[in-house]
């Protein structure tokens, strides 16, 4: 019987915490700190697996530099607890990929959902991956190394000499929010952006690019007098000169002809602007026995903005034989894909502040609670022209030298990577 489970980084940062019984309400952070202090103060290279502190018993294993810790106040079998923690490590590798602090942080919603299915009030229900897979709805997030050598986003010019330089950040100490997900509420928010330069100048001249003056990296740094534009991490191309970055948020570069990724950045959880879409689903059964799905999609962009090429893909029960639909506007289309057993709802254009709806009636022979588990989650794909979710903008682009004033412009574009909404 377990009271709590912690996953701590090698520095003692609490990545995951789950309290199953509420026996130590209000002291969870103290327990994690107590465990880490005692572990790091022990002499020798090998720390004991079991420790006791004020009636609490700590059991832990260590993998990939992370501490997997369970607490208990009962006379639980120590070998059972160690075996459970080792199986938890194996399951996390199966569901999330290689273990690392970053990978655990990226997949915290999936890990919380996994713990909910594995344990009930501290008692182990199952650790079988084939059983757990049937109940998991959150998609894993693959770790993407933060490097400028990604040829998928960088042109051929200068690809062999690029190196990433990372600005200081306090993202490692950022607390992980508890998972949510009811009625379309976001469970995890993640923004990855880049500033890409396309240059066709015949001669080499220095270019100065001014970013938002209130732009800061990490939560510890505040700049300017306006609303702060914050990111957790940012990396620059090796050719960027940063001597004016700290004082004026200016990037200086002498670009060669072609395409060049000047800067990449990441922002998680604390997004300054509202998410572009919210989904409000209603699922019931009509008098004839058909499954009714009423989907209300709200676009929370500013009224002057719009989203293009919006597509919602919704998995449905495998036994669906036919689909009837009622859409809120004539330009929308929807169809049932027999191969993937999913509904594709296409919206060519969606204005900010608008609300669209669709009613789907599905014939599902032998409809049962088990078949309802096959419904969702919904995946949304879209493009947002002239919009940045981070709030980062380019103030100016200036050229130095004899090149004159060539035609130049700045274009903003946001597109979805993984926008998942649970029903």
């Amino acid at each position: 019987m377990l009271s709590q489970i912690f996953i701590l980084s090698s520095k003692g940062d609490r990545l995951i915490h789950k309290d199953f019984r509420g026996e130590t309400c209000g002291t969870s952070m103290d327990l994690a700190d107590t465990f880490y202090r005692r572990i790091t103060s022990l002499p020798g290279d090998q720390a004991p697996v079991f420790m006791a502190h004020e009636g609490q018993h700590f059991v832990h294993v260590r993998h990939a530099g992370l501490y997997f810790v369970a607490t208990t106040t009962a006379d639980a079998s120590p070998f059972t607890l160690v075996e459970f923690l080792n199986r938890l490590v194996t399951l996390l590798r199966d569901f999330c990929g290689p273990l690392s602090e970053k990978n655990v942080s990226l997949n915290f919603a999936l890990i919380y959902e996994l713990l909910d299915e594995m344990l009930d009030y501290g008692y182990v229900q199952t650790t079988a991956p084939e059983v757990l897979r049937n109940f998991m709805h959150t998609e894993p997030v693959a770790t993407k190394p933060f490097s400028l050598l990604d040829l998928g986003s960088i042109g051929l010019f200068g690809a062999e000499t690029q190196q990433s330089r990372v600005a200081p950040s306090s993202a490692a100490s950022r607390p992980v929010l508890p998972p949510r997900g009811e009625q379309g509420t976001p469970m995890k928010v993640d923004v990855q952006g880049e500033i890409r330069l396309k240059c066709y100048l015949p001669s080499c001249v220095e270019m100065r690019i001014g970013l938002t003056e209130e732009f800061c990296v990490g939560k510890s740094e505040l700049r300017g007098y306006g609303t702060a534009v914050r990111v957790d991490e940012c990396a620059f191309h090796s050719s960027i000169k940063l001597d004016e970055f700290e004082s004026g948020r200016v990037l200086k570069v002498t670009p060669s002809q072609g395409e060049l990724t000047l800067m990449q950045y990441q922002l998680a959880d604390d997004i300054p602007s509202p998410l572009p879409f919210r989904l409000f689903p209603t699922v019931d059964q009509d008098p004839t026995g058909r499954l009714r799905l009423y989907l209300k999609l709200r676009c929370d962009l500013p009224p002057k903005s719009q989203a293009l090429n919006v597509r919602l893909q919704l998995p449905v029960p495998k036994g669906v034989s036919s689909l009837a639909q009622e859409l809120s506007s004539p330009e929308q289309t929807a169809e049932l894909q027999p191969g993937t057993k999913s509904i594709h709802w296409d919206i060519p254009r969606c204005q900010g502040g608008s609300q669209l709806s669709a009613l789907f009636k599905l014939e599902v022979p032998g409809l049962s609670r088990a078949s309802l588990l096959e419904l969702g989650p919904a995946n949304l794909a879209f493009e947002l022209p002239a919009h940045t979710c981070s709030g980062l903008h380019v103030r100016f682009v200036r050229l130095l030298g004899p090149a004159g004033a060539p035609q130049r412009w700045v274009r903003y574009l946001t597109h979805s990577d993984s926008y998942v909404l649970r029903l």
Side-chain angles (χ1 to χ4, degrees), residues 168-180:
S169 169
S170 62
S173 60
R174 173 174 50 83
V176 177
L177 300 178
R180 296 171 286 168

Side-chain angles (χ1 to χ4, degrees), residues 222-244:
L222 295 177
R223 294 180 55 87
Y225 300 99
T227 303
V229 177
R230 185 192 63 82
V231 299
D232 292 323
E233 295 179 356
C234 70
F236 304 95
H237 188 271
S238 59
S239 62
I240 298 294
K241 298 177 182 178
L242 299 175
D243 52 303
E244 294 186 33

Side-chain angles (χ1 to χ4, degrees), residues 152 169 275 305 401:
S169 169
L275 294 178
S305 301

Side-chain angles (χ1 to χ4, degrees), residues 33-245:
D33 291 341
T34 299
F35 168 80
Y36 186 73
R37 286 197 305 267
R38 296 196 60 178
I39 280 293
T40 54
S41 63
L42 289 171
D45 297 331
Q46 297 297 325
V49 177
F50 304 96
M51 291 188 299
H53 174 74
E54 297 181 357
Q56 287 286 332
H57 299 271
F58 296 101
V59 183
H60 83 278
V61 296
R62 191 174 186 187
H63 290 270
L66 304 177
Y67 292 97
F68 295 80
V69 189
T71 67
T72 180
T73 57
D75 296 330
S77 167
F79 299 104
T80 301
L81 297 179
V82 172
E83 178 65 21
F84 170 78
L85 291 176
N86 283 324
R87 292 195 183 188
L88 174 62
V89 170
T90 302
L91 284 170
L92 294 187
R93 285 173 174 162
D94 290 343
F95 280 86
C96 305
L99 286 179
S100 67
E101 180 178 344
K102 183 176 182 179
N103 210 10
V104 170
S105 298
L106 287 174
N107 289 278
F108 78 95
L110 175 60
I111 295 173
Y112 277 115
E113 187 178 5
L114 192 62
L115 291 173
D116 285 336
E117 300 296 341
M118 294 174 65
L119 296 118
D120 183 16
Y121 199 60
Y123 291 94
V124 179
Q125 302 301 303
T126 181
T127 58
E130 62 275 8
V131 175
L132 293 168
R133 195 169 288 113
N134 296 326
F135 300 101
M136 305 304 294
H137 298 285
T138 305
E139 294 292 329
V141 180
T143 303
K144 296 181 180 180
F146 205 74
S147 172
L148 295 179
L149 293 175
D150 183 6
L151 295 182
S153 62
I154 300 176
L156 297 176
F157 296 90
E160 297 180 353
T161 62
Q162 298 178 42
Q163 300 174 358
S164 62
R165 293 185 289 168
V166 180
S169 169
S170 62
S173 60
R174 173 174 50 83
V176 177
L177 300 178
R180 296 171 286 168
E182 299 176 358
Q183 299 301 322
T185 307
M187 293 188 67
K188 180 179 181 299
V189 182
D190 190 298
V191 172
Q192 297 184 3
E194 64 182 18
I195 298 178
R196 192 182 302 179
L197 172 66
K198 292 184 178 180
C199 179
Y200 303 101
L201 297 175
S203 59
C204 295
V205 294
E206 186 175 79
M207 179 179 295
R208 300 175 77 250
I209 302 172
L211 306 181
T212 306
E213 290 183 334
E214 295 80 14
F215 174 62
C216 59
V217 182
K219 290 185 176 180
S220 60
E221 181 185 8
L222 295 177
R223 294 180 55 87
Y225 300 99
T227 303
V229 177
R230 185 192 63 82
V231 299
D232 292 323
E233 295 179 356
C234 70
F236 304 95
H237 188 271
S238 59
S239 62
I240 298 294
K241 298 177 182 178
L242 299 175
D243 52 303
E244 294 186 33
F245 180 74

Side-chain angles (χ1 to χ4, degrees), residues 291 293 314-321 336 340-343 362-365 367-368 370-376:
L291 182 64
L293 303 177
L314 177 65
V316 295
K318 295 182 175 60
V320 171
S321 58
L336 177 66
T340 59
K341 287 298 180 182
S342 62
I343 296 174
L362 304 173
E363 291 283 354
V364 187
L367 180 63
S368 63
S371 59
L372 289 178
L373 294 176
E374 302 174 357
L375 186 63

